[in-house]
Amino acid sequence: MRQLAPDWPSPGYCDDRARRGGEDMTSTKKITKHPSDGLTVGRIGRGEVSALLKNKRKKKSGASLCFLRWRYLAVRWGRMSCRSVCCNRWSCEERLDGKTVIITGANTGIGKETARDLARRGARIVMACRDLERAEEARTDILEDTGNENLVIRKLDLSDTKSIRAFAELINKEEKQVNILINNAGIMMCPHSKTVDGFEMQLGVNHLGTGVSVFSLHPGVVQSDLWRHQHQCIQVAVKIFRIFTKTTVEGAQTTIYCAVEPQLDSQSGGYFSDCAAARCSRAASDDDSAQKLWEISCNLLGITWE
């Protein structure tokens, strides 16, 4: 089974990665999205970040934070736009008839466009979504566009481990096979809150709620709902720099590539960007750190692996 997943880390995690020279990492055949492009706040300067956070703790004006975020986006989008101009262009007529694909967060953005593309290839699509009303709207849209009636909606709330277990049990009962799992759903920079199980929301949804990935990928800077929790100045920046960002269709291409490309059948554990293999950071390749993270995660979730 291919597993893929775009990984949406918390801002603090991204900043820490950047200070260590990290890059963005994201997607699996399990596909997962992850933050490792090196174009993070750390590129702006650790001193600026530390000073900014100190000012924030003293409850000073948020103007400096807004400016830093603007600067961060300008640097990131500038480099991402240059990359997009030179990125590999990929197309494939591969069919997925008879195969079952699970996509989390398939009701909007990259997840919806991924579902649309794979449905057009003949796959059975399981749309794993928290908001069933929006999922039904997305299903109707995809059905009308592709003519593929093999689209089913299943309830999944990644902020609740009971919902995750119930979803897994239902899939084991209903589906004879799962060929591709795409961990697309994620959140970023949301107001501080906790999951049903008491974990910080971004940690719980983006990491503990998705599990391990076979492939990770970076979709690029995409015009999606991921920005909905941002400060107002960031919302303005998103609109101003819109010309340099990817549409959701363009942002879904690397996820689709990792799910469909036949040459990846014999591969595992890769990191991809712009429909091609990419280099991840040294920290992301640290097996000792990965093992420690695995053990901590299992302990938080009360899971024992023999």
Side-chain angles (χ1 to χ4, degrees):
M1 178 182 72
R2 292 196 187 191
Q3 299 186 60
L4 311 94
D7 180 20
W8 306 109
S10 66
Y13 177 79
C14 292
D15 297 350
D16 184 58
R17 259 289 165 75
R19 289 195 291 268
R20 297 198 309 265
E23 292 185 349
D24 285 347
M25 302 178 303
T26 33
S27 193
T28 51
K29 265 171 181 173
K30 182 176 172 207
I31 302 176
T32 302
K33 285 184 274 188
H34 187 321
S36 61
D37 191 356
L39 304 178
T40 56
V41 176
R43 289 282 189 177
I44 297 173
R46 182 173 183 177
E48 291 181 71
V49 174
S50 298
L52 186 61
L53 293 178
K54 184 180 296 184
N55 288 338
K56 185 179 180 182
R57 282 194 292 269
K58 292 180 179 180
K59 299 183 179 181
K60 292 185 177 180
S61 171
S64 57
L65 178 61
C66 184
F67 172 76
L68 182 56
R69 285 178 174 172
W70 264 83
R71 185 175 170 186
Y72 154 60
L73 289 175
V75 172
R76 186 183 183 96
W77 283 343
R79 298 192 182 189
M80 289 299 291
S81 63
C82 291
R83 177 190 296 174
S84 297
V85 171
C86 304
C87 71
N88 297 324
R89 297 191 177 276
W90 176 85
S91 63
C92 179
E93 301 301 322
E94 186 78 6
R95 296 288 300 174
L96 297 177
D97 301 284
K99 293 188 176 182
T100 298
V101 181
I102 297 176
I103 305 175
T104 66
N107 62 335
T108 187
I110 293 176
K112 180 181 177 181
E113 295 307 325
T114 299
R116 189 193 307 276
D117 184 282
L118 301 188
R120 193 174 287 123
R121 297 173 188 271
R124 170 179 171 79
I125 306 296
V126 178
M127 303 172 66
C129 304
R130 178 179 57 83
D131 189 330
L132 298 184
E133 184 177 347
R134 293 185 66 187
E136 187 57 47
E137 293 175 357
R139 180 188 181 280
T140 300
D141 181 33
I142 295 172
L143 173 59
E144 293 176 350
D145 186 25
T146 66
N148 186 342
E149 297 183 352
N150 208 356
L151 302 166
V152 297
I153 299 171
R154 294 294 178 261
K155 174 74 173 182
L156 174 62
D157 185 350
L158 293 175
S159 67
D160 184 351
T161 55
K162 288 184 179 179
S163 175
I164 296 172
R165 291 190 177 95
F167 172 81
E169 291 174 2
L170 184 61
I171 292 299
N172 286 334
K173 180 180 179 181
E174 292 185 341
E175 304 297 334
K176 296 180 180 179
Q177 63 185 27
V178 175
N179 303 96
I180 302 172
L181 169 60
I182 301 179
N183 288 332
N184 168 80
I187 56 177
M188 182 178 75
M189 291 184 175
C190 58
H192 179 72
S193 57
K194 293 186 178 181
T195 66
V196 174
D197 304 280
F199 304 119
E200 189 276 327
M201 186 61 71
Q202 291 171 110
L203 172 67
V205 171
N206 299 346
H207 174 61
L208 299 177
T210 58
V212 183
S213 67
V214 175
F215 293 144
S216 275
L217 65 86
H218 192 307
V221 180
V222 183
Q223 304 160 20
S224 71
D225 288 346
L226 191 64
W227 305 98
R228 63 187 180 276
H229 296 300
Q230 301 300 303
H231 188 279
Q232 186 176 2
C233 66
I234 302 299
Q235 299 285 356
V236 173
V238 170
K239 295 179 180 179
I240 292 176
F241 288 95
R242 189 180 185 88
I243 190 174
F244 299 111
T245 61
K246 294 181 179 181
T247 65
T248 51
V249 174
E250 294 168 336
Q253 294 310 300
T254 304
T255 300
I256 297 168
Y257 169 80
C258 290
V260 173
E261 175 55 53
Q263 295 183 5
L264 299 182
D265 285 339
S266 60
Q267 298 184 32
S268 177
Y271 169 59
F272 295 83
S273 179
D274 289 321
C275 300
R279 188 182 296 178
C280 65
S281 70
R282 182 181 303 175
S285 305
D286 188 328
D287 290 339
D288 291 336
S289 295
Q291 180 61 34
K292 184 176 181 180
L293 176 61
W294 174 266
E295 293 172 354
I296 292 174
S297 300
C298 288
N299 182 56
L300 288 173
L301 294 170
I303 297 175
T304 301
W305 294 88
E306 296 182 358

